[in-house]
Amino acid sequence: MNYIKLLNAAFEKFFFDDRLNPTHISLYMALFQEWNSSRFADEFYVNRRDLMRVAKIGSKSTYHRCVTDLDVWSYLSYFPSNNPYKGSKIKMSIIGTSDEPVTGQYNPILEQLAEQYHPIREPVVYQHRPFNGQALVSTINNTKQVNNTKQPKGRQAVIIFFKENGFDADEGKKFFAHYEANDWKTSDGKAIRDWQALAINWMDRTESFEQENKPNKKEASQKQDNLRTTKNKDYGQPL
């Protein structure tokens, strides 16, 4: 993998993509570094907390929104995991120009840089180093995994998913009704690639909204105390 050409192609795409904001780019660069650490494996596992720390993202809802956007906009493929002991899986898209395609090749300088880092979760199966004109044969399984979670298998599947994540059935019904009415497409008209990732983003936004609009009981009680009056007044004291 040509590290420099791939990064230059990514920066060129960032320049012409007005949908991106600095948080998208920061998260993409954090994912790119993990991809580099895994020796540019076809797929690799990530840890949300570590990525948020590296990308300087302080909100779970912002993280899920950005990684979902990058998936929908074809910068990567995102396969979320519901297992707390196993991170989500990422498959980075190969970004290149039409006249200079990105091709895999052995680069000793890149290998020296990659040795300073290590993958977060899954151990990497290293490639055999070529010598004397020997062809490079990868031991990594490059079989493309098909994402079968574009749309849920009915409303009940959505309700079950929301209950498994600590939400009631009504919230799942709202989510299903919203995207069913929009024919399971995003706001820019593109087909949804992973409804579970959108559902997690929906849950995070719901939690944030409830916390921001939670009434302050202490402040209300103080206001009530200020309105209290007493009948034992001494009208003889000077004003």
Coordinates of all heavy atoms in Angstrom, one line a residue, residues 6-56:
L6 N -2.0 7.4 -1.0 CA -3.3 7.2 -0.4 C -3.7 8.4 0.5 O -4.9 8.9 0.4 CB -3.3 6.0 0.5 CG -4.7 5.5 1.0 CD1 -5.6 5.2 -0.2 CD2 -4.5 4.2 1.8
L7 N -2.8 9.0 1.2 CA -3.1 10.2 2.0 C -3.4 11.4 1.2 O -4.3 12.2 1.4 CB -1.9 10.5 3.0 CG -2.1 10.0 4.4 CD1 -0.9 10.4 5.3 CD2 -3.4 10.4 5.1
N8 N -2.5 11.6 0.1 CA -2.8 12.7 -0.8 C -4.1 12.6 -1.5 O -4.8 13.7 -1.6 CB -1.6 12.8 -1.8 CG -0.3 13.2 -1.2 OD1 -0.3 13.9 -0.2 ND2 0.8 12.9 -1.9
A9 N -4.5 11.4 -1.9 CA -5.8 11.3 -2.5 C -6.9 11.6 -1.5 O -8.0 12.2 -1.9 CB -5.9 9.8 -3.0
A10 N -6.8 11.2 -0.2 CA -7.8 11.4 0.8 C -7.9 12.9 1.0 O -9.0 13.5 1.1 CB -7.4 10.7 2.1
F11 N -6.8 13.6 1.1 CA -6.8 15.1 1.4 C -7.4 15.8 0.2 O -8.2 16.8 0.3 CB -5.4 15.6 1.6 CG -4.9 15.3 3.0 CD1 -3.6 14.8 3.1 CD2 -5.6 15.4 4.1 CE1 -3.1 14.5 4.4 CE2 -5.2 15.1 5.4 CZ -3.9 14.7 5.5
E12 N -7.2 15.3 -1.0 CA -7.8 15.9 -2.2 C -9.3 15.7 -2.2 O -10.1 16.7 -2.5 CB -7.2 15.3 -3.5 CG -7.8 15.9 -4.8 CD -7.1 15.3 -6.0 OE1 -6.3 14.4 -5.8 OE2 -7.5 15.7 -7.1
K13 N -9.8 14.6 -1.7 CA -11.2 14.3 -1.7 C -11.8 15.2 -0.6 O -12.9 15.7 -0.7 CB -11.4 12.8 -1.4 CG -12.9 12.5 -1.5 CD -13.1 11.0 -1.4 CE -14.6 10.6 -1.6 NZ -14.8 9.1 -1.6
F14 N -11.1 15.4 0.6 CA -11.6 16.2 1.6 C -11.8 17.7 1.1 O -12.8 18.3 1.5 CB -10.6 16.3 2.8 CG -10.4 15.0 3.5 CD1 -9.2 14.9 4.3 CD2 -11.3 14.0 3.4 CE1 -9.0 13.7 5.0 CE2 -11.0 12.8 4.1 CZ -9.9 12.7 4.9
F15 N -10.9 18.1 0.2 CA -11.0 19.5 -0.2 C -12.3 19.8 -1.0 O -12.9 20.9 -0.9 CB -9.8 19.8 -1.1 CG -9.7 21.2 -1.6 CD1 -9.2 22.2 -0.8 CD2 -10.2 21.5 -2.9 CE1 -9.1 23.5 -1.3 CE2 -10.1 22.8 -3.4 CZ -9.6 23.8 -2.6
F16 N -12.7 18.8 -1.8 CA -13.9 19.0 -2.6 C -15.2 18.5 -2.0 O -16.3 18.7 -2.6 CB -13.7 18.3 -4.0 CG -12.6 18.9 -4.8 CD1 -11.4 18.3 -4.9 CD2 -12.8 20.1 -5.5 CE1 -10.3 18.9 -5.7 CE2 -11.8 20.6 -6.3 CZ -10.6 20.0 -6.4
D17 N -15.1 17.9 -0.8 CA -16.3 17.4 -0.1 C -16.8 18.4 0.9 O -16.3 18.5 2.0 CB -16.0 16.1 0.5 CG -17.3 15.3 0.9 OD1 -18.3 15.9 0.9 OD2 -17.2 14.1 1.2
D18 N -17.8 19.2 0.6 CA -18.3 20.2 1.5 C -19.2 19.6 2.6 O -19.6 20.3 3.6 CB -19.2 21.2 0.7 CG -18.4 22.0 -0.3 OD1 -17.2 22.2 0.0 OD2 -18.9 22.4 -1.3
R19 N -19.5 18.3 2.6 CA -20.2 17.7 3.7 C -19.4 17.5 4.9 O -19.9 17.4 6.0 CB -20.8 16.4 3.2 CG -21.7 16.4 2.0 CD -22.0 15.1 1.5 NE -20.8 14.4 1.0 CZ -20.8 13.2 0.5 NH1 -21.9 12.5 0.3 NH2 -19.6 12.6 0.1
L20 N -18.1 17.4 4.8 CA -17.2 17.1 5.9 C -17.0 18.4 6.8 O -17.0 19.5 6.4 CB -15.8 16.7 5.4 CG -15.8 15.4 4.6 CD1 -14.4 15.2 4.0 CD2 -16.2 14.2 5.4
N21 N -16.9 18.1 8.1 CA -16.4 19.1 9.0 C -15.1 18.6 9.7 O -14.7 17.5 9.5 CB -17.5 19.4 10.1 CG -17.9 18.2 10.9 OD1 -17.1 17.4 11.3 ND2 -19.2 18.0 11.2
P22 N -14.5 19.5 10.5 CA -13.2 19.0 11.1 C -13.3 17.8 11.9 O -12.3 17.0 12.0 CB -12.9 20.3 12.0 CG -13.5 21.4 11.4 CD -14.8 20.9 10.8
T23 N -14.4 17.5 12.6 CA -14.6 16.2 13.3 C -14.5 15.0 12.4 O -13.9 14.0 12.8 CB -15.9 16.3 14.2 OG1 -16.0 17.5 14.9 CG2 -15.9 15.1 15.1
H24 N -15.2 15.1 11.3 CA -15.1 14.0 10.3 C -13.6 13.7 10.0 O -13.2 12.5 9.9 CB -15.9 14.3 9.1 CG -17.4 14.3 9.2 ND1 -18.1 15.4 9.2 CD2 -18.2 13.3 9.4 CE1 -19.4 15.1 9.4 NE2 -19.5 13.8 9.5
I25 N -12.9 14.7 9.6 CA -11.5 14.6 9.2 C -10.7 14.0 10.3 O -9.8 13.2 10.2 CB -11.0 15.9 8.7 CG1 -11.8 16.3 7.4 CG2 -9.5 15.8 8.3 CD1 -11.4 17.7 6.9
S26 N -10.9 14.5 11.5 CA -10.1 14.1 12.7 C -10.3 12.6 13.0 O -9.4 11.8 13.2 CB -10.5 14.9 13.9 OG -9.8 14.4 15.1
L27 N -11.6 12.2 12.9 CA -11.9 10.8 13.1 C -11.3 9.9 12.0 O -10.8 8.8 12.2 CB -13.4 10.6 13.2 CG -13.9 9.1 13.4 CD1 -13.3 8.5 14.6 CD2 -15.4 9.1 13.4
Y28 N -11.4 10.4 10.7 CA -10.8 9.6 9.6 C -9.3 9.4 9.8 O -8.8 8.3 9.6 CB -11.1 10.3 8.3 CG -10.5 9.6 7.1 CD1 -11.3 8.6 6.4 CD2 -9.2 9.8 6.6 CE1 -10.8 7.9 5.3 CE2 -8.7 9.1 5.6 CZ -9.5 8.2 4.9 OH -9.0 7.5 3.8
M29 N -8.6 10.5 10.2 CA -7.2 10.4 10.4 C -6.8 9.4 11.6 O -5.8 8.7 11.5 CB -6.6 11.7 10.7 CG -6.7 12.7 9.5 SD -6.1 12.0 8.0 CE -4.4 11.7 8.4
A30 N -7.7 9.4 12.6 CA -7.5 8.4 13.7 C -7.7 7.0 13.2 O -6.9 6.1 13.5 CB -8.4 8.7 14.9
L31 N -8.7 6.8 12.4 CA -8.9 5.5 11.8 C -7.8 5.1 10.8 O -7.4 4.0 10.7 CB -10.2 5.5 11.1 CG -11.5 5.5 12.0 CD1 -12.7 5.8 11.2 CD2 -11.6 4.1 12.6
F32 N -7.3 6.1 10.0 CA -6.2 5.8 9.1 C -4.9 5.4 9.8 O -4.2 4.5 9.4 CB -5.9 7.1 8.3 CG -4.9 6.9 7.2 CD1 -5.4 6.6 5.9 CD2 -3.6 6.9 7.3 CE1 -4.6 6.4 4.8 CE2 -2.7 6.7 6.3 CZ -3.2 6.5 5.0
Q33 N -4.7 6.0 11.0 CA -3.5 5.6 11.8 C -3.7 4.1 12.3 O -2.7 3.4 12.3 CB -3.3 6.5 13.0 CG -2.1 6.2 13.8 CD -0.8 6.1 12.9 OE1 -0.5 7.1 12.3 NE2 -0.1 5.0 13.0
E34 N -4.9 3.8 12.7 CA -5.1 2.4 13.1 C -5.0 1.4 12.0 O -4.5 0.3 12.1 CB -6.5 2.2 13.7 CG -6.7 2.9 15.1 CD -5.7 2.3 16.1 OE1 -5.5 1.1 16.1 OE2 -5.2 3.1 16.9
W35 N -5.4 1.9 10.8 CA -5.2 1.1 9.6 C -3.7 0.9 9.3 O -3.3 -0.2 8.9 CB -5.9 1.8 8.4 CG -6.1 1.0 7.2 CD1 -6.1 -0.4 7.0 CD2 -6.2 1.5 5.8 NE1 -6.2 -0.7 5.7 CE2 -6.3 0.4 5.0 CE3 -6.3 2.8 5.3 CZ2 -6.5 0.6 3.6 CZ3 -6.5 2.9 4.0 CH2 -6.6 1.8 3.1
N36 N -3.0 1.9 9.4 CA -1.5 1.9 9.3 C -0.9 0.9 10.3 O 0.0 0.1 10.0 CB -0.9 3.3 9.4 CG 0.6 3.3 9.3 OD1 1.2 2.4 8.7 ND2 1.2 4.2 10.0
S37 N -1.4 1.0 11.5 CA -0.8 0.1 12.6 C -1.1 -1.3 12.3 O -0.3 -2.2 12.7 CB -1.5 0.5 13.9 OG -1.2 1.9 14.3
S38 N -2.2 -1.6 11.6 CA -2.5 -3.0 11.3 C -1.9 -3.5 10.0 O -2.3 -4.5 9.4 CB -4.0 -3.2 11.3 OG -4.6 -2.5 10.2
R39 N -0.9 -2.7 9.5 CA -0.2 -3.0 8.2 C -1.2 -3.0 7.1 O -1.1 -3.8 6.2 CB 0.5 -4.3 8.3 CG 1.5 -4.5 9.5 CD 2.6 -3.5 9.4 NE 3.5 -3.6 10.6 CZ 4.5 -4.4 10.7 NH1 4.8 -5.2 9.6 NH2 5.3 -4.5 11.8
F40 N -2.2 -2.0 7.1 CA -3.2 -1.9 6.1 C -3.9 -3.2 5.8 O -4.1 -3.6 4.6 CB -2.5 -1.3 4.8 CG -2.0 0.1 5.0 CD1 -0.6 0.3 5.2 CD2 -2.8 1.2 4.9 CE1 -0.1 1.5 5.4 CE2 -2.3 2.4 5.1 CZ -1.0 2.6 5.3
A41 N -4.4 -3.8 6.9 CA -5.2 -5.0 6.7 C -6.5 -4.7 6.0 O -7.0 -3.6 6.0 CB -5.5 -5.6 8.1
D42 N -7.1 -5.7 5.4 CA -8.3 -5.5 4.7 C -9.4 -5.1 5.6 O -10.3 -4.2 5.3 CB -8.7 -6.9 4.0 CG -10.0 -6.7 3.1 OD1 -9.9 -5.9 2.2 OD2 -10.9 -7.4 3.3
E43 N -9.4 -5.7 6.9 CA -10.4 -5.3 7.9 C -9.7 -5.3 9.2 O -8.7 -6.0 9.4 CB -11.6 -6.2 8.0 CG -12.4 -6.3 6.7 CD -13.5 -7.3 6.8 OE1 -13.4 -8.3 7.6 OE2 -14.4 -7.3 5.9
F44 N -10.1 -4.4 10.1 CA -9.4 -4.3 11.4 C -10.4 -3.9 12.5 O -11.5 -3.3 12.1 CB -8.2 -3.4 11.4 CG -8.5 -2.0 11.0 CD1 -8.8 -1.0 12.0 CD2 -8.6 -1.6 9.7 CE1 -9.0 0.3 11.6 CE2 -8.9 -0.3 9.3 CZ -9.1 0.6 10.3
Y45 N -10.2 -4.1 13.7 CA -11.1 -3.8 14.8 C -10.6 -2.6 15.6 O -9.4 -2.3 15.7 CB -11.2 -5.0 15.8 CG -11.9 -6.2 15.2 CD1 -11.2 -7.1 14.5 CD2 -13.3 -6.4 15.4 CE1 -11.8 -8.2 14.0 CE2 -13.9 -7.4 14.9 CZ -13.2 -8.4 14.2 OH -13.9 -9.5 13.6
V46 N -11.6 -1.8 16.1 CA -11.3 -0.5 16.7 C -12.0 -0.5 18.1 O -13.0 -1.2 18.3 CB -11.6 0.7 15.9 CG1 -10.8 0.7 14.6 CG2 -13.1 0.7 15.5
N47 N -11.5 0.4 18.9 CA -12.1 0.6 20.2 C -12.6 2.1 20.2 O -11.9 3.0 20.0 CB -11.1 0.4 21.4 CG -11.7 0.7 22.7 OD1 -11.8 1.8 23.2 ND2 -12.2 -0.4 23.4
R48 N -13.9 2.2 20.5 CA -14.5 3.6 20.5 C -13.9 4.6 21.4 O -13.6 5.7 21.0 CB -16.0 3.5 20.8 CG -16.7 4.8 20.8 CD -18.2 4.7 21.1 NE -18.5 4.0 22.3 CZ -18.4 4.4 23.5 NH1 -18.0 5.7 23.7 NH2 -18.7 3.7 24.6
R49 N -13.6 4.2 22.6 CA -13.0 5.1 23.6 C -11.6 5.6 23.1 O -11.3 6.8 23.2 CB -12.9 4.5 25.0 CG -14.2 4.2 25.6 CD -14.0 3.7 27.1 NE -15.3 3.6 27.8 CZ -16.0 2.4 27.7 NH1 -15.5 1.4 27.0 NH2 -17.1 2.3 28.4
D50 N -10.8 4.6 22.6 CA -9.5 5.0 22.1 C -9.5 6.0 20.9 O -8.8 6.9 20.8 CB -8.7 3.8 21.7 CG -8.3 2.9 23.0 OD1 -8.4 3.5 24.1 OD2 -8.1 1.7 22.8
L51 N -10.5 5.7 20.0 CA -10.6 6.6 18.8 C -11.1 7.9 19.2 O -10.6 8.9 18.7 CB -11.6 5.9 17.8 CG -11.1 4.8 17.0 CD1 -12.2 4.2 16.1 CD2 -9.9 5.2 16.1
M52 N -12.0 8.0 20.2 CA -12.5 9.3 20.6 C -11.4 10.1 21.3 O -11.3 11.3 21.1 CB -13.7 9.1 21.6 CG -15.0 8.6 21.0 SD -16.3 8.3 22.2 CE -16.5 9.9 22.9
R53 N -10.5 9.4 22.0 CA -9.4 10.2 22.7 C -8.4 10.7 21.6 O -7.9 11.8 21.7 CB -8.7 9.2 23.6 CG -7.6 9.9 24.4 CD -7.1 9.1 25.6 NE -6.5 7.8 25.1 CZ -7.1 6.7 25.3 NH1 -8.2 6.6 25.9 NH2 -6.5 5.6 24.8
V54 N -8.1 9.9 20.6 CA -7.2 10.3 19.6 C -7.7 11.4 18.7 O -7.1 12.3 18.4 CB -6.7 9.1 18.7 CG1 -5.9 9.5 17.5 CG2 -6.0 8.0 19.6
A55 N -9.0 11.2 18.3 CA -9.7 12.2 17.5 C -10.2 13.4 18.2 O -10.7 14.4 17.6 CB -10.8 11.6 16.7
K56 N -10.0 13.5 19.5 CA -10.5 14.6 20.4 C -12.0 14.8 20.3 O -12.4 15.9 20.1 CB -9.7 15.9 20.0 CG -8.2 15.7 20.0 CD -7.6 15.2 21.3 CE -6.1 15.0 21.2 NZ -5.6 14.3 22.4

